[in-house]
């Protein structure tokens, strides 16, 4: 794989499962797991400082090995879900690590029992940057099961939620969609939603729904099984609900989420107005049909080659920060990115940090639209966040869900606002503003619908197995509440529950509100950048650096932001409302000219 074929280069990890380095690391993983088991057996006889010192050394080694092995197997599988060797190796690795669950439970309980973390750090047993981690372990202890239960749960999860998640991924990446007599993949037909031809968009939408119907009951079974496992786990661990577990994992207060959601709800009518204005611009009466949600408007229908996307993004990021610019240049030139859709490749886009190499790997399904350029900017924002977190010690590099979307969405805002500011052509300006509002509508209306849908699934699952028809009904209800009269009532997307992989995780529920959080948080940070100029950049990097070592609320305080105050969220939403006003005015102007 190389830059020339525009797939990613995984040789920074291994050259195959038969690579001697891979086999050696696989063997070392067994030894590392055994070391953790021995440490767990010795834990009760060790002093606090000696325990923490040995735990840090052993954990760093185990995390480095397991992370590198897992990343390689998962990236291989994501690029080709037909790669049975990668799927098998992922299962092997999960099985090996499940044997460490009991040791983990013992050690976490022992660390949680430490009375004075300050004294342990003062002794030199742990660096200062592990203070947050050690205190988090103490905080997590009340939700931990017994050693035997943790080990059993880890074992059962392999054939439980994890397996159901793999089923959804495999079905959605391999199902064949009959589009105009041609058999294409689901990601490929979904990409046609951005096509400039309205007939193509409509036909693709109808083909997508028919294709989803061929796998809906199987995927519904997967979703029901995953959500029931999550509910059972929450009950066993003592969480009030899956949402409470999500917020705990996110290190985020419920007051913050309530302020975010109530502010979004208040501003939904503005987005409904945008959707109706776009519908009118495209010749529809009333609300916008689903298949035209991503329809391009205005004259900015230019498509980009990978090389053109590279130059465009580098030109923008160079004006913001040299470090970001250089990282983006390397990502394109050193094959960090797998660009194009193909059979067997998973849909959507994601970034995966590779700590062992100090790099990242990015998957996209690039087809040249401006939206795809924005997607690249988004995922490379994640890569930049990775880069900042790699400055921490190995066990202090993971950040929570809400702040995970900060750098990615900031990149989006930076690129879009730069593009809008640089054009005086009204047609192009209309297209760019609409493109930004299109994305904003996704992180406000669509994310809200996803949140409402997932909440309803968790509410119903204890008493009801929801078949595909019932899940589709719940999705349409959620879309009605979130999109209102902005969408045509008879043309929504009942299968959004099937195509979105974020619902299919046993360990990560409600991976929806973080996108709204990230989008509005990023706009607030962009406002700070406009105010402070170059002085903002080091502040921004320090904030990204802090995301893995403090709570969401404390992280925001670095930029002087109170996340529990609705005023902050409404300020970001008002900036969208102002853009909607501008878009509606331009749309009316062009409609009048047409008449």
């Amino acid at each position: 794989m190389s830059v020339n074929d525009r797939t990613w280069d995984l040789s920074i990890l291994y050259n195959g499962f038969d690579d001697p380095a891979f086999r050696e690391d696989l063997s070392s993983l067994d030894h590392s797991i055994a070391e953790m088991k021995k440490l767990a057996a010795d834990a009760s006889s060790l002093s606090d400082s000696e325990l923490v010192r040995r735990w840090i050394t052993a954990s760093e080694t185990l995390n480095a090995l397991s992370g590198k092995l897992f990343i390689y197997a998962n990236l291989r599988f994501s690029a080709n879900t037909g790669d049975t060797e990668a799927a098998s190796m992922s299962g092997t690795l999960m099985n090996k690590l499940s044997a460490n669950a009991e040791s983990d439970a013992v050690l976490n309980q022992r660390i949680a029992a430490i009375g004075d973390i300050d004294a342990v750090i003062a002794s030199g047993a742990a660096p200062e940057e592990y203070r947050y981690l050690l205190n988090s372990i103490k905080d997590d202890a009340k939700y931990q099961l017994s050693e035997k239960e943790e080990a059993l749960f880890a074992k059962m999860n392999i054939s439980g939620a994890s397996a159901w998640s793999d089923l959804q991924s495999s079905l959605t990446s391999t199902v064949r969609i009959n589009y105009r007599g041609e058999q294409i993949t689901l990601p490929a037909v979904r990409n046609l939603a951005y096509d400039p031809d309205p007939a193509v968009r409509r036909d693709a939408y109808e083909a997508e729904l028919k294709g989803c119907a061929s796998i809906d009951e199987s995927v519904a079974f997967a979703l029901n099984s995953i959500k029931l496992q999550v509910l059972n786990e929450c009950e066993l661990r003592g969480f009030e609900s899956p949402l409470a577990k999500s917020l705990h994992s996110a290190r985020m207060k419920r007051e913050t989420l309530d302020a975010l959601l109530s502010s979004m709800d208040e501003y939904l009518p503005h987005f409904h107005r945008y959707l109706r204005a776009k519908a009118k611009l495209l010749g529809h009466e009333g609300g916008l049909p689903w298949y035209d949600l991503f329809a391009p408007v205005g004259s900015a229908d230019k498509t980009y080659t990978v090389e053109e996307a590279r130059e465009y993004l580098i030109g923008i990021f160079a004006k913001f920060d040299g470090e970001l610019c250089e990282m983006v240049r390397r990502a394109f030139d050193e094959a960090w990115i797998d660009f194009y859709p193909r059979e067997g490749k998973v849909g959507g886009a994601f970034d995966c940090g590779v700590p062992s190499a100090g790099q990242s790997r990015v998957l996209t399904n690039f087809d040249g639209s401006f939206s795809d350029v924005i997607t690249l900017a988004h995922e490379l924002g994640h890569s930049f966040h990775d880069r900042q977190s790699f400055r921490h010690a190995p066990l202090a590099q993971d950040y929570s869900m809400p702040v995970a979307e900060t750098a990615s969405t900031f990149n989006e805002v930076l690129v879009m606002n730069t593009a809008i500011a640089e054009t005086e052509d009204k047609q192009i300006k209309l297209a760019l503003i609409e493109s930004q509002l299109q994305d904003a509508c996704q992180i406000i209306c669509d994310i809200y619908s996803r949140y409402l849908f997932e909440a309803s699934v968790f509410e119903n699952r204890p008493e009801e197995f929801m078949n595909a028809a019932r899940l589709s009904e719940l999705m349409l209800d959620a879309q009605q509440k979130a999109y209102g009269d902005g969408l045509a009532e008879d043309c929504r997307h009942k299968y959004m529950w099937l195509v979105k992989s974020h619902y299919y995780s046993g360990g990560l529920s409600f991976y929806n509100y973080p996108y709204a959080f990230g989008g509005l948080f990023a706009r607030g940070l962009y406002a700070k950048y406009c105010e402070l100029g170059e002085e903002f950049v080091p502040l921004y990097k320090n904030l990204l650096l802090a995301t893995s070592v403090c709570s969401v609320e404390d992280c925001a305080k670095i930029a002087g932001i109170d996340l529990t105050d609705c005023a902050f969220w409404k300020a970001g939403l008002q900036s969208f409302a102002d853009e909607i006003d501008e878009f509606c005015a331009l749309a009316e102007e062009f409609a009048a000219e047409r008449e």
Side-chain angles (χ1 to χ4, degrees):
M1 296 185 180
S2 68
V3 172
N4 292 332
D5 60 15
R6 289 304 179 187
T7 56
W8 51 26
D9 174 19
L10 300 185
S11 66
I12 57 164
L13 291 161
Y14 305 103
N15 290 310
F17 291 121
D18 58 351
D19 185 339
F22 184 90
R23 308 312 303 184
E24 181 179 346
D25 283 352
L26 194 61
S27 176
S28 296
L29 180 64
D30 291 331
H31 176 74
S32 184
I33 291 171
E35 285 294 306
M36 291 295 284
K37 186 175 182 179
K38 183 179 184 303
L39 178 57
D42 296 342
S44 61
S45 64
L46 299 175
S47 68
D48 291 348
S49 294
E50 180 63 12
L51 169 73
V52 170
R53 183 188 65 77
R54 287 179 55 182
W55 175 78
I56 287 173
T57 300
S59 295
E60 288 182 345
T61 300
L62 178 60
N63 281 19
L65 285 168
S66 61
K68 188 177 179 183
L69 292 163
F70 257 118
I71 287 170
Y72 181 69
N74 289 339
L75 290 180
R76 282 268 302 255
F77 183 76
S78 297
N80 177 17
T81 57
D83 187 341
T84 56
E85 194 175 11
S88 177
M89 184 54 67
S90 291
T92 297
L93 290 168
M94 289 180 67
N95 189 51
K96 285 179 179 291
L97 284 177
S98 69
N100 191 57
E102 187 172 349
S103 301
D104 251 355
V106 171
L107 291 166
N108 284 342
Q109 286 177 353
R110 175 68 177 82
I111 290 170
I114 293 174
D116 192 346
I117 294 295
D118 291 340
V120 171
I121 293 174
S123 73
E128 173 62 34
E129 63 180 327
Y130 280 161
R131 179 186 298 277
Y132 182 72
L133 172 65
L134 294 171
N135 282 324
S136 294
I137 291 173
K138 289 174 69 68
D139 190 39
D140 291 342
K142 56 178 162 295
Y143 302 111
Q144 190 172 320
L145 304 177
S146 71
E147 296 94 322
K148 294 295 184 183
E149 288 171 324
E150 290 289 355
L152 177 62
F153 185 82
K155 280 280 188 185
M156 296 301 293
N157 187 59
I158 298 171
S159 55
S162 181
W164 290 116
S165 177
D166 287 344
L167 176 64
Q168 185 270 347
S169 179
S170 179
L171 287 172
T172 54
S173 61
T174 58
V175 64
R176 309 303 292 170
I177 307 296
N178 183 4
Y179 170 70
R180 293 184 172 181
E182 180 184 358
Q183 299 293 309
I184 63 175
T185 65
L186 181 57
V189 81
R190 285 181 59 76
N191 273 339
L192 294 176
Y194 300 91
D195 196 274
D197 185 340
V200 168
R201 297 193 300 270
R202 184 182 62 252
D203 290 353
Y205 162 79
E206 292 173 353
E208 180 185 347
L209 294 185
K210 289 179 181 177
C212 289
S214 69
I215 59 173
D216 62 355
E217 293 299 349
S218 297
V219 180
F221 209 103
L223 185 61
N224 276 270
S225 301
I226 291 170
K227 295 312 186 190
L228 184 58
Q229 177 174 312
V230 171
L231 285 163
N232 288 337
E233 182 186 359
C234 287
E235 182 179 354
L236 287 170
R237 294 189 181 280
F239 285 105
E240 179 185 349
S241 66
L243 180 59
K245 182 176 183 290
S246 170
L247 289 168
H248 177 79
S249 299
R251 308 302 182 197
M252 177 173 161
K253 295 178 180 178
R254 180 62 189 262
E255 293 88 342
T256 295
L257 179 63
D258 289 343
L260 170 65
L261 293 177
S262 64
S263 299
M264 288 167 57
D265 188 70
E266 182 178 329
Y267 273 78
L268 285 176
H270 293 277
F271 290 90
H272 301 164
R273 185 161 56 90
Y274 149 70
L275 291 169
R276 293 194 304 273
K278 181 172 182 176
K280 183 177 180 180
L281 198 60
L282 294 174
H284 302 294
E285 294 292 333
L288 186 69
W290 186 277
Y291 57 78
D292 275 347
L293 266 176
F294 306 108
V297 300
S299 63
D301 55 359
K302 170 180 168 54
T303 58
Y304 294 76
T305 65
V306 166
E307 292 72 20
E308 288 169 338
R310 173 189 182 278
E311 293 308 310
Y312 183 76
L313 292 176
I314 285 175
I316 290 175
F317 293 139
K319 298 173 184 177
F320 175 70
D321 177 56
E323 182 186 1
L324 173 59
C325 176
E326 180 57 27
M327 188 213 70
V328 171
R329 190 189 311 276
R330 290 187 62 196
F332 278 89
D333 296 350
E334 298 177 14
W336 292 17
I337 308 171
D338 190 312
F339 285 94
Y340 299 119
R342 59 181 177 272
E343 184 176 354
K345 180 178 175 180
V346 298
F350 67 76
D351 160 82
C352 177
V354 185
S356 61
Q359 299 180 15
S360 296
R361 287 299 178 264
V362 170
L363 178 142
T364 71
N365 282 272
F366 184 85
D367 71 355
S369 68
F370 187 69
S371 176
D372 285 334
V373 177
I374 294 296
T375 296
L376 277 171
H378 179 101
E379 299 305 335
L380 289 168
H382 284 304
S383 300
F384 190 63
H385 200 164
D386 294 340
R387 184 181 178 88
Q388 305 311 311
S389 71
F390 291 160
R391 292 163 55 190
H392 282 302
L395 302 180
Q397 295 179 1
D398 293 336
Y399 39 83
S400 66
M401 287 196 305
V403 291
E405 296 303 321
T406 302
S408 56
T409 314
F410 183 88
N411 268 14
E412 287 190 40
V413 177
L414 182 62
V415 171
M416 285 301 306
N417 284 6
T418 299
I420 291 170
E422 287 179 347
T423 183
E424 296 182 0
D425 185 296
K426 287 187 177 182
Q427 282 278 2
I428 295 176
K429 187 179 288 290
L430 175 72
L432 291 173
I433 292 174
E434 198 283 322
S435 178
Q436 190 166 41
L437 291 176
Q438 184 184 115
D439 291 340
C441 193
Q442 287 295 292
I443 65 169
I444 303 301
C445 294
D446 200 59
I447 288 301
Y448 194 39
S449 73
R450 293 191 219 177
Y451 173 84
L452 293 172
F453 168 77
E454 190 161 6
S456 67
V457 169
F458 277 124
E459 180 181 351
N460 286 287
R461 186 61 187 95
E463 305 297 332
E464 177 186 0
F465 181 94
M466 293 157 285
N467 62 16
R470 177 65 169 138
L471 290 170
S472 296
E473 178 187 354
L474 292 175
M475 178 55 74
L476 291 174
D477 286 345
Q479 288 175 358
Q480 170 60 37
K481 293 173 184 174
Y483 285 97
D485 61 2
L487 279 185
E489 188 173 354
D490 60 347
C491 193
R492 293 176 178 160
H493 197 314
K494 67 179 183 178
Y495 282 126
M496 285 300 287
W497 60 268
L498 184 152
V499 301
K500 290 297 180 183
S501 61
H502 288 163
Y503 296 123
Y504 298 85
S505 169
L508 196 62
S509 302
F510 287 102
Y511 198 0
N512 34 59
Y513 67 79
Y515 283 93
F517 179 104
L520 294 176
F521 189 42
R523 287 187 80 85
L525 291 175
Y526 184 79
K528 289 278 186 182
Y529 170 52
C530 293
E531 174 188 345
L532 300 175
E534 292 182 2
E535 294 178 13
F536 171 80
V537 177
L539 175 72
Y540 176 61
K541 292 180 182 179
N542 285 337
L543 185 149
L544 295 180
L545 182 66
T547 54
S548 59
V549 293
C550 65
S551 71
V552 169
E553 288 79 17
D554 287 343
C555 181
K557 288 176 183 176
I558 293 174
I561 295 168
D562 178 4
L563 295 178
T564 65
D565 185 353
C566 288
F568 168 73
W569 302 111
K570 289 179 181 179
L573 286 158
Q574 184 58 47
S575 71
F576 282 131
D578 293 340
E579 286 187 10
I580 289 170
D581 288 342
E582 186 174 3
F583 171 78
C584 290
L586 284 170
E588 284 292 336
E589 184 177 334
F590 288 124
E593 289 176 0
R594 226 174 24 224
E595 295 172 0

